[in-house]
Amino acid sequence: MQTKVSSEVIGLGLDMTYYSTRPFTNKHYYDEIKGIADGSGVSFKTLRRVHMIGEFTKGTCSMFGAWGKATIGGKTIQLRALDWDFDG
């Protein structure tokens, strides 16, 4: 059975995640989101919610990095992927 969850409920969950993790997050993290919001015109609240998705869903991340002889021109390449586990 598939159910729909309203965007208001999801927003509330993301906001609750923000408030519960804020005491453990460095201020510069939110300062950077504020700067992105100011420069892009996207609201701070929207960007903050987007950044809470991984914590809200308890997602995990895979990381990859390469540099030097491993890349063309020796440039650094970094990748972060949010991993979803539909079985767990």
Side-chain angles (χ1 to χ4, degrees):
M1 181 171 127
Q2 202 173 31
T3 60
K4 290 186 177 184
V5 178
S6 74
S7 59
E8 291 84 13
V9 171
I10 293 171
L12 179 61
L14 293 168
D15 291 343
M16 289 172 58
T17 302
Y18 163 70
Y19 288 114
S20 65
T21 60
R22 186 173 57 176
F24 310 102
T25 306
N26 288 327
K27 181 182 177 299
H28 73 270
Y29 180 80
Y30 296 112
D31 290 344
E32 185 173 343
I33 294 173
K34 173 88 168 77
I36 294 169
D38 292 347
S40 68
V42 177
S43 75
F44 173 79
K45 184 176 183 177
T46 296
L47 291 173
R48 185 191 75 207
R49 284 179 168 180
V50 168
H51 283 271
M52 291 296 114
I53 291 171
E55 181 64 24
F56 179 64
T57 61
K58 297 301 180 194
T60 57
C61 293
S62 296
M63 298 291 292
F64 170 82
W67 59 93
K69 292 180 181 179
T71 65
I72 296 173
K75 295 182 178 182
T76 300
I77 299 172
Q78 179 180 333
L79 169 76
R80 174 181 175 227
L82 181 59
D83 302 326
W84 299 97
D85 179 7
F86 292 104
D87 296 326

